[in-house]
Amino acid sequence: MADDVRALSAELAQDPQSLVFLRLGEALRRKGQLDAALRVAVNGLERHPHLADAHDLYARLLADKHEYERAFDEWDMAVRIAPNHIGALKGLAFLYFKVGDVAQAEAHLEAARRYEPDDPTIAQALVMVRGGARPPSPTTAPALEPVATAAAPAAPAPTAGVLDESQVFAGLEGALEGLVLLDAAGMVLGGALRSPAGADVTDAVAAYLAGVSQEAARTVKLLGLGVWVGLSAEGQHGNVHVAQPTKDALLLVVRDRGVPLGRLAILAQRATATARRWLERQR
């Protein structure tokens, strides 16, 4: 295994655009070197943001670290890119069952079985789900762990905590903090932000952002760049991305330095689409 890692690392170093990062990330994951595997996966995603296998690898690593909300987000993206991605469908089924949504878990397993009817692990997982036992984890060996599904919280998407479904970003990574939607006057419409010390700074940041969209529009007009669609910036302790879901609303996405700007832009695109749909429903 060590020789495999060295060989794959050397191959990736020679060609950073190579898809060998998928094999290297998996090899590191199996060795238990999750932090190193995560770096490989994130770098690979930055170069190949539309590769379903890259999102699947990242999701499995996040699940290994019990970051289930973020893992859900990645598997969901993989299925959006490749609806027949078996690993992502099984991963989503596992996470849905984990929060007690048996119907969604079964539906995702049935979808996987349609694409891979001869896969015995899918049939096994379906039997376990219907019998009330946890299906095989997509990152570990199968486990027949009983689950009291009646007492488990139902949710449309697995989260680290209970989400208020009235929230704009319910179900997205950072729904509880790290995403803020505000109107043109700087009034908070949804989401939350916290400082590194844990203080709620949502309203203060929103006030500072009032007028940013007008300034951005003026700047790109002066430079002849057309219409602005997003602004990204790196900070000492984190990265930010600002987008405009509509002409009357602004979106701020904040993440720590471990999330590269390319990945941040992808998260912002998803949050922007969610915010736009939410704003349309409010009209």
Side-chain angles (χ1 to χ4, degrees):
M1 179 67 76
D3 290 340
D4 289 343
V5 168
R6 282 194 291 269
L8 293 170
S9 297
E11 187 175 344
L12 185 61
Q14 289 180 349
D15 180 9
Q17 294 293 331
S18 171
L19 297 185
V20 75
F21 80 90
L22 295 169
R23 292 163 55 199
L24 176 59
E26 179 61 22
L28 289 167
R29 188 182 77 82
R30 291 184 180 275
K31 284 173 62 67
Q33 298 180 14
L34 297 185
D35 290 339
L38 279 168
R39 287 194 294 272
V40 170
V42 170
N43 288 336
L45 260 177
E46 196 166 20
R47 292 184 172 91
H48 305 281
H50 304 298
L51 182 65
D53 284 343
H55 289 280
D56 177 49
L57 171 63
Y58 191 34
R60 282 184 282 120
L61 289 163
L62 291 170
D64 283 339
K65 293 176 72 70
H66 301 268
E67 296 183 32
Y68 296 123
E69 182 179 355
R70 296 178 67 190
F72 179 92
D73 212 29
E74 292 302 320
W75 272 319
D76 181 59
M77 178 64 80
V79 170
R80 290 173 186 271
I81 296 170
N84 62 342
H85 198 289
I86 303 303
L89 288 168
K90 290 162 70 173
L92 288 171
F94 176 78
L95 293 181
Y96 270 119
F97 190 84
K98 192 173 181 64
V99 297
D101 195 335
V102 178
Q104 280 291 343
E106 187 172 350
H108 281 75
L109 288 171
E110 287 288 3
R113 186 163 67 171
R114 284 196 296 273
Y115 293 117
E116 290 287 346
D118 298 325
D119 187 336
T121 65
I122 298 173
Q124 177 192 13
L126 276 167
V127 171
M128 297 170 75
V129 165
R130 290 164 179 166
R134 181 169 304 194
S137 165
T139 65
T140 61
L144 294 171
E145 180 183 348
V147 177
T149 58
T159 61
V162 178
L163 285 175
D164 179 0
E165 287 304 312
S166 67
Q167 287 185 312
V168 178
F169 303 111
L172 286 181
E173 176 192 337
L176 296 178
E177 56 184 66
L179 288 168
V180 171
L181 179 68
L182 56 144
D183 64 17
M187 293 293 293
V188 177
L189 302 175
L193 284 177
R194 294 189 181 277
S195 70
D200 189 328
V201 295
T202 310
D203 291 329
V205 171
Y208 276 111
L209 286 174
V212 166
S213 59
Q214 290 86 350
E215 290 297 327
R218 280 195 290 268
T219 300
V220 297
K221 183 177 180 180
L222 285 171
L223 294 172
L225 299 178
V227 179
W228 80 282
V229 295
L231 302 170
S232 296
E234 289 184 312
Q236 184 177 358
H237 301 296
N239 298 333
V240 299
H241 186 93
V242 180
Q244 194 175 31
T246 72
K247 62 182 181 64
D248 299 317
L250 201 66
L251 169 75
L252 175 67
V253 183
V254 180
R255 291 294 185 273
D256 61 38
R257 285 297 301 272
V259 180
L261 290 180
R263 173 66 185 149
L264 194 62
I266 294 173
L267 294 175
Q269 287 175 3
R270 301 190 66 193
T272 298
T274 298
R276 188 180 296 117
R277 289 194 297 269
W278 184 86
L279 288 166
E280 289 173 352
R281 289 198 298 268
Q282 309 312 305
R283 293 174 182 171

